[in-house]
Amino acid sequence: LTKAVGSMLAASGKTLILDESFVKAFANRALSSAEHVLEGCHISLRLKDAKFSADEWRTLGDVLLKGARVKEADLTDCFSRGEDDELHAHSIAVLRALQNSGDALDRLVLHQCGKIPKEAWQELSGARWSNLKEVDLSDCFRANGEGAEEALRAVASA
């Protein structure tokens, strides 16, 4: 993938669907030259039940922060199992990237993501999602409710 291909994709207005295998390819450097290719591209994250290593989560966050515009994100059950410290870092990186998607984001699904810490939810404080139409936060706050206020504030201000 080259920057020219990314520019063509961004100009086309089409949405690129990223699934677990695509993210793993980025993380394994199979597509390392493509990190800037997604700049300006509309992205649909279809990562329901995805299982990533720490490096893969970090790569996803880095790639998205380089200018990709996430249109929809389904992260169902991505942050429900695992070591708390790792989940905190991963969820912070991904939510920071989503916060930067601005008016591109219209659908956000974080169903069953009960281990996202309050600090990660705080990453959404500056979110301006003017086109956000659907948000699923079910089963995110079952354990203790920590972070619910931050999440709802971000959604309400969108």
Side-chain angles (χ1 to χ4, degrees):
L1 294 174
T2 65
K3 182 100 171 150
V5 171
S7 295
M8 287 171 37
L9 183 60
S12 76
K14 295 194 174 32
T15 299
L16 178 64
I17 297 171
L18 300 186
D19 64 0
E20 187 172 359
S21 64
F22 197 96
V23 173
K24 287 181 181 285
F26 263 112
N28 291 326
R29 300 295 181 223
L31 299 173
S32 62
S33 63
E35 288 183 1
H36 290 281
V37 169
L38 300 179
E39 187 174 332
C41 293
H42 285 257
I43 303 294
S44 175
L45 294 175
R46 303 232 178 120
L47 302 176
K48 182 177 181 177
D49 300 319
K51 307 296 182 264
F52 294 130
S53 68
D55 285 341
E56 291 164 341
W57 279 119
R58 190 172 17 266
T59 299
L60 175 61
D62 290 347
V63 167
L64 295 177
L65 281 171
K66 290 181 178 162
R69 297 176 45 83
V70 179
K71 184 170 175 52
E72 71 173 290
D74 185 346
L75 298 164
T76 297
D77 206 27
C78 287
F79 303 110
S80 62
R81 296 179 291 280
E83 296 299 318
D84 286 348
D85 289 343
E86 282 187 10
L87 283 172
H88 289 193
H90 307 155
S91 59
I92 286 172
V94 173
L95 291 178
R96 183 177 295 140
L98 292 176
Q99 187 260 350
N100 288 334
S101 289
D103 64 354
L105 191 66
D106 65 11
R107 181 171 182 263
L108 177 60
V109 180
L110 292 166
H111 176 67
Q112 294 180 333
C113 290
K115 285 197 164 187
I116 296 176
K118 182 178 181 175
E119 297 78 22
W121 290 114
Q122 288 170 337
E123 289 296 324
L124 299 178
S125 65
R128 297 292 176 254
W129 299 321
S130 58
N131 291 319
L132 189 63
K133 293 172 183 64
E134 179 183 346
V135 179
D136 182 351
L137 300 174
S138 57
D139 289 335
C140 285
F141 308 105
R142 181 179 285 185
N144 62 18
E146 187 175 290
E149 182 177 341
E150 290 78 5
L152 294 174
R153 184 175 289 130
V155 170
S157 68

